[in-house]
């Protein structure tokens, strides 16, 4: 008699079809000195006040953190003049983006995002059991008309990264308002403002006004970028009370550490440090863009702390070959093939030394200097 097949738990349909999120590279074999420009991290690091607050918070590691994140929520509310009861904190904005999908999307429902939008949107929608609807962009920028055309009675959530990762483009406030006005009231609009602090355009807004006044708009933010606290995984969002209540019903009770909350609150208070990071980016972003363009490459205009560099689809000049060449010279950038951009590289604006190293290596690659 043949043995019975061994039984084991099986994930629900669709789970194993979700593409893994693959972060940017963090190393290059054979190089002691690495210039990491792959993850949009700030070259200035965290505020010293945030580091001190984190270290002080480790004195009682045996005590559970405050499950309501009151310290951090109150600091966010005071800094941005919003109602603390309408703020929810999470383990990076990634967790919050997923919680919103879990709360509002299910089998048969649709979630909408742009074709070059943040990869977590697709993962969150599919993980919730919904259908991911991808909308084409115009000039690598979110297209409001295309988004509205994609909305159906099954649409439950629309994600818009503003500025967008990995393109660095943005929608002006007027366009965001037009998008919101065109959406049905039962569709949740999520404005992902992970890079909002870097934007200097006069017609931009992260979305505070809509998140404060509308019943179907949420704005998400992170401490991983300009505040330099990526390792602590701290994010937050603000929106209607009924949305925050729904998310709190499914949020883990201790999804932020005591050290993370303390560091986040201290980082918000150190406005000078964030201003210095923004000023550094404002100085180096145009220099990096001009340097790449001077080599004959196309660069998408960016308002964030990175740029998207496009390469010819030709032997010896492709993005894949450029990435390999840069890695061999200790410069780590981000391939964005998973975002539908196989002929481009995303390059973070780093410190002066790293930026110069990138431009030098890129110049050598474009000259065909493979020595």
């Amino acid at each position: 008699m043949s043995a019975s097949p061994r039984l084991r738990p099986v994930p629900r349909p669709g789970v194993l079809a979700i593409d893994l999120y693959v972060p940017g590279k963090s190393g290059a074999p054979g190089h002691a000195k690495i210039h990491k420009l792959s993850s949009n991290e700030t070259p200035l690091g965290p505020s010293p006040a945030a580091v001190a607050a984190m270290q002080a918070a480790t004195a009682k590691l045996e005590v559970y953190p405050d499950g309501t994140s009151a310290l951090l929520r109150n600091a966010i509310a005071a800094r941005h003049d919003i109602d603390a009861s309408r703020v929810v904190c999470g383990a990076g904005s990634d967790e919050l983006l997923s919680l919103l999908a879990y709360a509002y999307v299910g089998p048969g429902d649709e979630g909408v995002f742009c074709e070059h939008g943040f990869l977590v949107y697709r993962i969150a929608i599919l993980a919730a059991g919904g259908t991911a609807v991808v909308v084409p962009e115009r000039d690598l920028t979110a297209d409001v008309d295309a988004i509205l055309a994609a909305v159906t009675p099954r649409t439950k959530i629309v994600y818009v990264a503003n500025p967008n990762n990995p393109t660095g483009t943005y929608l002006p406030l007027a366009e965001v308002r037009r998008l919101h006005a065109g959406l049905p009231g039962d569709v949740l609009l999520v404005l992902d403002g992970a890079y909002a602090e870097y934007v200097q355009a006069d017609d931009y807004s992260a979305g505070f006004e809509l998140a404060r006044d509308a019943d179907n708009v949420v704005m998400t933010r992170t401490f991983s970028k300009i505040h330099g606290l990526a390792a602590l995984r701290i994010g937050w969002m603000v929106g209607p009370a009924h949305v925050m209540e729904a998310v709190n019903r499914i949020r883990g009770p201790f999804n932020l550490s005591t050290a993370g909350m303390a560091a986040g609150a201290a980082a918000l208070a150190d406005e000078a440090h964030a201003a210095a990071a923004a000023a550094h980016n404002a100085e180096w972003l145009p220099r990096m863009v001009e340097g790449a363009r001077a080599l004959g490459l196309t660069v998408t205009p960016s308002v964030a702390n990175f740029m998207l560099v496009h390469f010819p689809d030709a032997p010896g000049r492709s993005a894949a070959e450029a990435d390999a060449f840069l890695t061999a010279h200790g410069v780590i950038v981000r391939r964005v093939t998973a975002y539908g951009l196989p002929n481009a590289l995303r390059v973070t604006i780093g410190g002066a030394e790293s930026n110069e190293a990138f431009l030098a290596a890129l110049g050598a690659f474009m000259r065909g200097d493979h020595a």
Side-chain angles (χ1 to χ4, degrees), residues 82-171:
I82 54 180
D83 184 351
S85 68
R86 292 173 57 178
V87 174
V88 171
C89 296
S93 56
D94 293 0
E95 182 192 29
L96 300 173
L97 295 168
S98 295
L99 287 173
L100 289 167
Y102 301 156
Y104 290 94
V105 178
D109 296 331
E110 296 175 348
V112 174
F113 59 94
C114 296
E115 63 178 319
H116 304 305
F118 189 32
L119 295 176
V120 166
Y121 306 151
R122 177 191 291 274
I123 294 172
I125 293 164
L126 296 178
T131 299
V133 177
V134 184
V135 177
E137 298 179 0
R138 179 183 300 172
D139 298 326
L140 296 181
T141 304
D143 184 337
V144 170
D145 293 317
I147 294 172
L148 293 175
V151 173
T152 74
R154 295 183 295 276
T155 304
K156 298 300 181 183
I157 195 166
V158 173
Y159 290 102
V160 176
N162 201 29
N164 185 53
N165 171 26
T167 62
T169 56
Y170 77 101
L171 283 180

Side-chain angles (χ1 to χ4, degrees), residues 10-363:
V10 178
R12 61 175 173 76
V15 170
L16 296 182
I18 299 174
D19 292 332
L20 290 172
Y21 180 88
V22 180
K25 294 182 295 185
S26 58
H31 288 274
K33 177 68 174 180
I34 297 297
H35 300 283
K36 185 174 180 241
L37 303 177
S38 59
S39 300
N40 299 342
E41 297 152 341
T42 171
L44 272 62
S47 159
V51 174
M54 178 199 70
Q55 291 172 338
T58 62
K60 293 186 177 181
L61 294 180
E62 75 281 8
V63 178
Y64 278 104
D66 169 21
T68 70
S69 302
L71 171 69
L72 184 54
R73 287 191 303 107
N74 289 332
I76 291 167
R79 175 69 178 83
H80 295 289
D81 192 24
I82 54 180
D83 184 351
S85 68
R86 292 173 57 178
V87 174
V88 171
C89 296
S93 56
D94 293 0
E95 182 192 29
L96 300 173
L97 295 168
S98 295
L99 287 173
L100 289 167
Y102 301 156
Y104 290 94
V105 178
D109 296 331
E110 296 175 348
V112 174
F113 59 94
C114 296
E115 63 178 319
H116 304 305
F118 189 32
L119 295 176
V120 166
Y121 306 151
R122 177 191 291 274
I123 294 172
I125 293 164
L126 296 178
T131 299
V133 177
V134 184
V135 177
E137 298 179 0
R138 179 183 300 172
D139 298 326
L140 296 181
T141 304
D143 184 337
V144 170
D145 293 317
I147 294 172
L148 293 175
V151 173
T152 74
R154 295 183 295 276
T155 304
K156 298 300 181 183
I157 195 166
V158 173
Y159 290 102
V160 176
N162 201 29
N164 185 53
N165 171 26
T167 62
T169 56
Y170 77 101
L171 283 180
L173 177 59
E175 281 293 276
V176 175
R177 287 192 176 280
R178 186 166 75 86
L179 171 60
H180 174 249
L183 290 174
D186 61 348
V187 174
L188 182 64
L189 174 59
V190 181
L191 301 175
D192 180 359
Y195 301 92
E197 291 91 347
Y198 290 105
V199 185
Q200 298 189 336
D202 292 336
D203 59 351
Y204 172 81
S205 173
F208 279 107
E209 305 91 339
L210 285 170
R212 179 193 63 211
D213 299 335
D215 278 336
N216 63 334
V217 179
V218 169
M219 180 195 67
T220 62
R221 301 290 283 272
T222 182
F223 282 84
S224 297
K225 305 307 178 185
I226 203 165
H227 295 297
L229 297 174
L232 291 179
R233 310 306 302 130
I234 316 167
W236 61 280
M237 64 181 175
V238 59
H242 64 91
V243 176
M244 300 300 102
E245 179 182 3
V247 170
N248 274 323
R249 296 295 180 102
I250 59 175
R251 176 182 63 84
F254 306 113
N255 61 334
L256 272 189
S257 69
T258 300
M261 286 183 266
L268 279 178
D270 192 349
E271 296 181 33
H273 187 78
H280 174 87
N281 191 70
E283 175 189 354
W284 273 99
L285 176 60
R287 292 172 64 175
M288 292 278 276
V289 170
E290 291 165 9
R293 286 177 175 166
L295 296 170
L297 296 168
T298 299
V299 182
T300 299
S302 173
V303 296
N305 70 328
F306 56 85
M307 63 179 183
L308 188 67
V309 184
H310 302 266
F311 291 80
D313 187 12
R317 290 290 184 269
S318 70
E321 290 167 297
D323 178 51
F325 184 89
L326 292 167
T327 299
H329 288 74
V331 180
I332 310 303
V333 297
R334 182 73 148 100
R335 292 292 309 278
V336 285
T337 301
Y339 287 91
L341 297 163
N343 296 321
L345 297 176
R346 192 193 68 192
V347 184
T348 303
I349 307 305
E353 181 183 1
S354 294
N355 295 338
E356 296 286 7
F358 164 76
L359 291 174
L362 183 64

